[in-house]
Amino acid sequence: MLDLFKKKPQDRQDWNKRGDQVYAIIPAAGSSSRMGGGNKLVMELGGQPILCRTLCVFNACDVIDGIVLVCRRQDQKTYAALCADWNIDKVVKIVEGGPSREHSVLNGVLACGREIGYVAIHDAARPLITEDIIREAVETARRDSAAAPAVGVKDSIQRIQRGKMMENVDRETIVAVQTPQCFDIDLIRAALTKAIESGAALTDDCGAVTALGQPVSMTRGSYENIKITTPEDVALGEVILKGRARCL
């Protein structure tokens, strides 16, 4: 683990009690298998590495007090250098990921000290997130203990069985969940620990929390908050950035 931040001695007196700070947990330990080779997080989007573009938004957001980056051991020094090059000074720790996403996120949560009360867990490959979306999700989690941005589904949805469409699903009852997914830190720690112990198959952190019976409040997402997974997503991301530039 790379510890990039040393707390001042006067701050240590509060470490034995839970604080109210908010840390972003950025899992970046994936293999980029669907990108067709190479590490997608160091690929450029609008002239900036995808990882740095993601981190810069959280670095600038006033409700985020620090960032824990979770990645493969072989990427730690590279990512630390990128943070230095792009003046991303809220990254306080870079920790090693685990065998699955939930293991990696839990490693990031466990790296947080007792001064941290809430975490905002965000995919490293969602570089088009905005400060407004982060802020709303964090503020809602402070009130409700769990919150995540989401958008409505535009396409028709069908349940399938053996390759056949069997039943229509009402679009009004489903949403596409995005990140950052924000939680009370004790809640998400317990939820991920239980999910890992039970071997539950999860698609995101909200699934671990709802499995405990805790609802997750929905906040405003954006159709622009895409996850960069394939080369086509990079092209779409460039289009989105150009559109934003025209609006400035």
Side-chain angles (χ1 to χ4, degrees), residues 108-129:
V109 171
L110 293 176
C112 295
R114 290 300 295 173
E115 72 276 19
I116 312 307
Y118 300 88
V119 292
I121 303 165
H122 184 73
D123 300 322
R126 288 188 188 268
L128 300 173
I129 185 64

Side-chain angles (χ1 to χ4, degrees), residues 25 43 51 56 62 68 81 102 105 118 121 125-126 130-131 139 177 179 181 191 200 202 215 219 223 232 241:
I25 308 294
M43 294 175 57
L51 176 63
C56 281
D62 58 351
V68 175
E102 50 264 36
V105 174
Y118 300 88
I121 303 165
R126 288 188 188 268
T130 66
E131 291 182 49
E139 291 173 351
V177 184
T179 65
Q181 297 179 7
L202 300 175
T219 60
Y223 292 108
E232 292 80 9
L241 286 176

Side-chain angles (χ1 to χ4, degrees), residues 49-61:
I50 288 172
L51 176 63
C52 294
R53 186 170 288 279
T54 300
L55 292 174
C56 281
V57 182
F58 283 86
N59 201 69
C61 187

Side-chain angles (χ1 to χ4, degrees), residues 35 46 52 60 86 104 106 111 125 147 166 170 234:
M35 188 55 73
C52 294
W86 288 89
S104 293
L106 183 58
M166 304 298 293
D170 184 359
V234 177

Side-chain angles (χ1 to χ4, degrees), residues 29-121:
S31 62
S32 304
S33 59
R34 285 176 286 180
M35 188 55 73
N39 182 352
K40 68 183 178 185
L41 295 180
V42 299
M43 294 175 57
E44 289 196 354
L45 182 67
Q48 185 177 21
I50 288 172
L51 176 63
C52 294
R53 186 170 288 279
T54 300
L55 292 174
C56 281
V57 182
F58 283 86
N59 201 69
C61 187
D62 58 351
V63 298
I64 300 298
D65 298 296
I67 302 169
V68 175
L69 180 60
V70 187
C71 65
R72 300 178 299 181
R73 180 180 298 180
Q74 62 264 35
D75 293 327
Q76 288 185 346
K77 290 184 179 179
T78 298
Y79 291 171
L82 284 175
C83 289
D85 290 344
W86 288 89
N87 298 315
I88 304 169
D89 55 8
K90 283 187 182 179
V91 174
V92 297
K93 290 181 181 178
I94 300 178
V95 303
E96 187 174 352
S100 67
R101 187 183 187 281
E102 50 264 36
H103 282 88
S104 293
V105 174
L106 183 58
N107 286 353
V109 171
L110 293 176
C112 295
R114 290 300 295 173
E115 72 276 19
I116 312 307
Y118 300 88
V119 292
I121 303 165

Side-chain angles (χ1 to χ4, degrees), residues 175-197:
V175 293
V177 184
Q178 302 179 337
T179 65
Q181 297 179 7
C182 304
F183 308 99
D184 175 284
I185 194 169
D186 294 330
L187 171 63
I188 190 60
R189 184 190 301 113
L192 289 172
T193 299
K194 182 175 180 179
I196 290 170
E197 290 175 349

